[in-house]
């Protein structure tokens, strides 16, 4: 496989006049920037509709697209909105940080205006879209309509007990009662996938591959759990028995309590893992490469009793291993995978990664421990690995350098020959570009030399993440040329 490189930038971090990045013009411009920079990959985060906390890893659906990413200017070009329609809502005034409260209040309202004309204009296309996506769309639209009807509370708090348990007659009742709301949520998904399809065609045409991200778990407050509870470890009230997390470690004495319901792997295996096949097939149309978050959970996973306040009192349980991972390889031979193999790596997890034949990950920010010299550094990397400066969960390089201890900074600087003249961020990027890894990915913030203020996410902190955005001036021709020069120098062009 030829050496190559890419840039990590979430959709929501793109520039926009309307509060959040979208899959409109600025997404096309970023593809152009990638091409000018000699890059071949654009890595993004999950694109599903987000819930409380705004995390793309906690979505109402594993199949649906985020309505916030629908571009309003494109809807204006399609004749579904006027500029007056768009400007009549407040999406937030800070061009660097997303105001999710304003989006929650206003973004669907402007899409409702677009729907009034869109139903008629795209009637035939909407019908075809519904048929093509009938496995998930109808249930998703009903779920979202019911959430709105009950004040956006989680489905486990819905007052209608039969609906909460997904009783067929109750679902039919609310589908009729909320038919206009159901129709609207179906239309919104039509708009998202219409715009995404055009963007994907453009990226294909320009030789840019999109790396997507799939969380191993789904959110409890999701249509996936509500409509198909039998695939999850739930009790007779459809409440979780145990939930997901990770155990205490050096970084967190309480561990991390994620709260996702766990899979009933026995039932999934009996069904031939059909639910997972449908899930991967759903995201396959979005991406060229799929990064599997928390890959080690397929070998064994941390199960915490539902209701616990921390992840301390959990236990390790065996996952499906190659029974499922092997299906990924055979069913989706034309889709490439990356295994997020960070965290606690046991011999069993290493064995599963080797058998999967998926490339794992190396993070430069984790590679310099002065107490273990010669063990973690880039000279230990192997070809079939993806090298990152840092992931969305890490501080950008300059923020990391500002916050790491003096011994680590001194050791890293000595190993890489970092200097202020070159720029510490460029020295770290040089290390990744020059590594033996077949693919190198840096966060856009790292190329820009931005610090902790541009961090995407702080794990374990539930609020205030996923907000940082770029502005148009960040994507200069001068920066593209500099990235391209380094890409060529290290044989990744």
């Amino acid at each position: 496989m030829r050496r190559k490189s890419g840039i990590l930038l979430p959709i929501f971090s793109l520039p926009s006049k309307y509060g959040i990045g979208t899959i409109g013009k600025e997404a096309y411009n970023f593809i152009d920037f990638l091409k000018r920079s000699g890059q071949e990959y654009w890595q993004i985060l999950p694109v599903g509709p987000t819930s409380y906390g705004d995390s793309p890893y906690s979505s109402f659906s594993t199949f649906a697209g985020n309505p916030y990413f629908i571009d309003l200017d494109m809807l204006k070009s399609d004749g579904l909105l006027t500029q007056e329609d768009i400007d009549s809502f407040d999406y937030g005034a800070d061009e660097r940080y997303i105001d999710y409260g304003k989006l929650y209040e206003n973004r669907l309202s402007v899409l409702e205006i677009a729907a009034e004309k869109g139903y008629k204009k795209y009637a035939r296309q909407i019908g075809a879209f519904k048929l093509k996506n009938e496995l998930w769309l109808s249930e998703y639209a009903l779920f979202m309509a019911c959430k709105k009807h009950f004040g956006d509370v989680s489905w486990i708090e819905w007052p209608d007990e039969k609906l909460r348990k997904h009783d067929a007659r109750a679902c039919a009742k609310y589908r009729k009662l909320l038919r206009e709301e159901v129709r609207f949520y179906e239309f919104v998904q039509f708009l998202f996938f219409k715009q995404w399809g055009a963007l994907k065609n453009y990226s294909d045409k320009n030789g840019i591959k999109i790396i997507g991200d799939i969380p191993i778990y789904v959110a409890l407050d999701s249509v996936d759990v509500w409509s198909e509870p039998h695939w999850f470890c739930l009790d007779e009230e459809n409440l979780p028995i145990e939930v997901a997390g990770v155990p205490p470690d050096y970084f967190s004495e309480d561990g991390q309590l994620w709260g996702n319901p766990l899979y009933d792997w026995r039932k999934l295996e009996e069904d031939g893992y059909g639910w997972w096949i449908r899930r991967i097939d759903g995201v396959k149309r979005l991406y060229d490469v799929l990064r599997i978050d928390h890959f080690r959970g397929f070998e064994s996973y941390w199960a915490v009793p539902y209701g616990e306040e921390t992840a301390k009192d959990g236990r390790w349980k065996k996952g499906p291993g190659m029974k499922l991972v092997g299906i990924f390889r055979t069913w989706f031979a034309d889709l490439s995978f990356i295994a997020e193999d960070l965290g606690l790596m046991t011999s069993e997890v290493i064995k599963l990664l080797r058998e999967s034949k998926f490339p794992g990950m190396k993070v430069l920010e984790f590679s310099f421990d002065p107490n273990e010299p010669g063990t973690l550094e880039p000279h230990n990397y192997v070809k079939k690995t993806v090298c990152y400066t840092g992931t969305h969960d890490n501080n950008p390089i300059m923020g990391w350098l500002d916050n790491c201890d003096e011994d680590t900074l001194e050791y890293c600087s000595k190993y890489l020959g970092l200097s202020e003249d070159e720029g510490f961020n460029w020295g770290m990027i040089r290390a990744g570009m020059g590594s033996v890894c077949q693919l190198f990915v840096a966060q856009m913030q790292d190329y820009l030399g931005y610090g902790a203020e541009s961090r995407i996410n702080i794990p374990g902190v539930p609020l205030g993440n996923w907000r940082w955005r770029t502005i148009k001036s960040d994507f200069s021709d001068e920066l593209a040329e500099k990235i391209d020069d380094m890409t060529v120098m290290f044989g990744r062009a």
Side-chain angles (χ1 to χ4, degrees):
M1 186 182 294
R2 188 168 51 81
R3 289 164 59 82
K4 45 199 178 272
S5 58
I7 296 177
L8 168 58
L9 184 70
I11 297 292
F12 59 75
S13 292
L14 290 166
S16 169
K17 296 178 289 185
Y18 310 120
I20 190 170
T22 71
I23 50 180
K25 181 180 178 182
E26 294 303 332
Y28 289 75
N29 288 344
F30 185 63
I31 289 172
D32 294 340
F33 177 84
L34 289 168
K35 190 173 181 180
R36 295 199 308 274
S37 302
Q39 306 304 291
E40 293 186 41
Y41 287 84
W42 178 9
Q43 180 163 341
I44 60 176
L45 302 186
V47 296
T50 54
S51 58
Y52 178 76
D54 312 303
S55 170
Y57 293 87
S58 181
S59 177
F60 292 133
S61 169
T62 193
F63 295 97
N66 193 333
Y68 294 165
F69 295 165
I70 296 171
D71 188 73
L72 303 184
D73 285 331
M74 282 188 163
L75 298 185
K76 184 177 71 172
S77 297
D78 289 343
L80 304 188
L81 292 174
T82 66
Q83 192 63 50
E84 184 179 3
D85 292 331
I86 296 172
D87 293 342
S88 62
F89 296 96
D90 182 3
Y91 312 105
D94 193 332
E95 64 180 357
R96 278 294 188 190
Y97 296 99
I98 298 165
D99 186 335
Y100 282 105
K102 294 287 178 61
L103 294 177
Y104 175 78
E105 293 171 3
N106 297 314
R107 200 54 173 252
L108 288 183
S109 297
V110 73
L111 295 180
E112 288 174 352
I113 296 174
E116 294 176 8
K117 296 179 182 177
Y119 291 140
K120 184 176 181 180
K121 179 172 182 176
Y122 294 115
R124 182 180 297 177
Q125 294 96 316
I126 293 170
F129 175 77
K130 289 170 65 175
L131 284 174
K132 184 177 181 180
N133 296 277
E134 60 184 348
L135 288 176
W136 65 270
L137 180 61
S138 177
E139 292 284 13
Y140 167 75
L142 175 61
F143 175 79
M144 295 304 296
C146 290
K147 278 188 70 70
K148 181 180 179 182
H149 180 71
F150 292 120
D152 284 329
V153 299
S154 171
W155 66 266
I156 64 175
E157 299 176 32
W158 289 353
D160 188 316
E161 184 71 6
K162 290 185 177 180
L163 179 68
R164 194 179 70 77
K165 292 189 175 182
H166 200 256
D167 174 79
R169 292 182 67 178
C171 289
K173 169 188 169 183
Y174 281 91
R175 195 178 299 279
K176 182 178 181 181
L177 176 68
L178 304 174
R179 57 186 176 276
E180 289 304 316
E181 289 83 356
V182 170
R183 185 185 183 209
F184 170 70
Y185 284 105
E186 291 173 340
F187 174 72
V188 167
Q189 289 305 302
F190 165 76
L191 290 180
F192 175 88
F193 283 98
K194 178 177 180 289
Q195 291 191 357
W196 184 274
L199 180 67
K200 187 65 174 63
N201 286 338
Y202 189 77
S203 70
D204 291 344
K205 180 181 176 181
N206 284 276
I208 302 297
K209 293 182 173 61
I210 296 178
I211 303 175
D213 203 330
I214 186 169
I216 186 173
Y217 297 116
V218 298
L220 173 60
D221 189 20
S222 68
V223 62
D224 310 294
V225 181
W226 172 69
S227 66
E228 299 188 88
H230 46 283
W231 302 130
F232 301 89
C233 292
L234 309 178
D235 63 18
E236 63 276 3
E237 296 299 317
N238 283 1
L239 296 176
I241 299 169
E242 294 176 310
V243 294
V246 290
D249 57 20
Y250 176 81
F251 300 100
S252 172
E253 63 180 18
D254 291 333
Q256 293 182 37
L257 184 62
W258 297 336
N260 308 82
L262 298 172
Y263 297 107
D264 187 329
W265 288 116
R266 180 184 60 82
K267 288 184 180 177
L268 286 164
E269 182 181 1
E270 289 173 354
D271 185 59
Y273 298 104
W275 183 88
W276 268 96
I277 291 171
R278 294 194 300 275
R279 188 185 188 197
I280 301 297
D281 197 51
V283 296
K284 178 184 172 183
R285 59 183 170 171
L286 300 173
Y287 315 128
D288 301 289
V289 181
L290 189 59
R291 174 188 178 272
I292 303 174
D293 191 59
H294 198 59
F295 178 82
R296 68 108 51 240
F298 290 133
E299 193 286 316
S300 56
Y301 55 94
W302 191 246
V304 183
Y306 182 57
E308 290 288 322
E309 294 185 359
T310 75
K312 286 182 177 180
D313 297 324
R315 57 177 176 152
W316 287 108
K317 301 180 77 171
K318 294 298 290 184
M322 279 301 294
K323 291 178 182 178
L324 175 58
V325 175
I327 287 175
F328 294 164
R329 289 177 48 200
T330 55
W331 275 77
F332 303 101
D334 56 342
L335 181 65
S336 298
F337 293 87
I338 297 171
E340 188 270 288
D341 58 339
L342 307 176
L344 179 62
M345 289 293 288
T346 63
S347 59
E348 293 85 358
V349 179
I350 294 171
K351 180 174 181 288
L352 177 63
L353 179 63
R354 183 173 63 249
E355 291 178 346
S356 76
K357 299 183 180 179
F358 297 161
M361 293 172 52
K362 293 295 182 184
V363 176
L364 283 168
E365 292 181 8
F366 297 159
S367 299
F368 303 99
D369 186 345
N371 298 313
E372 297 184 54
T375 58
L376 304 173
E377 299 84 350
H379 68 262
N380 294 292
Y381 294 174
V382 297
K383 284 186 177 181
K384 197 167 185 177
T385 307
V386 183
C387 173
Y388 290 83
T389 48
T391 74
H392 63 275
D393 285 332
N394 302 127
N395 225 331
I397 290 170
M398 297 306 292
W400 176 76
L401 289 169
D402 286 341
N403 287 278
C404 70
D405 62 83
E406 290 185 11
D407 289 343
T408 300
L409 177 58
E410 181 180 357
Y411 182 63
C412 176
S413 298
K414 182 178 180 181
Y415 181 92
L416 296 179
L418 300 182
S419 70
E420 291 187 7
D421 288 342
E422 179 187 23
F424 282 11
N425 57 316
W426 284 101
M428 288 280 279
I429 291 168
R430 168 170 47 80
M433 280 283 189
S435 73
V436 71
C437 300
Q438 290 173 333
L439 176 59
F440 167 68
V441 178
Q443 295 194 82
M444 189 65 208
Q445 303 97 297
D446 294 335
Y447 281 115
L448 293 166
Y450 293 158
E453 77 284 350
S454 64
R455 184 169 183 166
I456 297 295
N457 180 51
I458 302 176
V461 176
L463 300 175
N465 296 310
W466 322 106
R467 297 181 61 229
W468 179 80
R469 292 198 293 153
T470 53
I471 59 176
K472 286 187 177 184
S473 59
D474 287 333
F475 305 102
S476 66
D477 289 337
E478 181 183 10
L479 178 59
E481 183 177 354
K482 187 172 182 179
I483 298 172
D484 183 55
D485 287 345
M486 183 173 282
T487 306
V488 171
M489 181 167 60
F490 287 106
R492 296 187 180 275

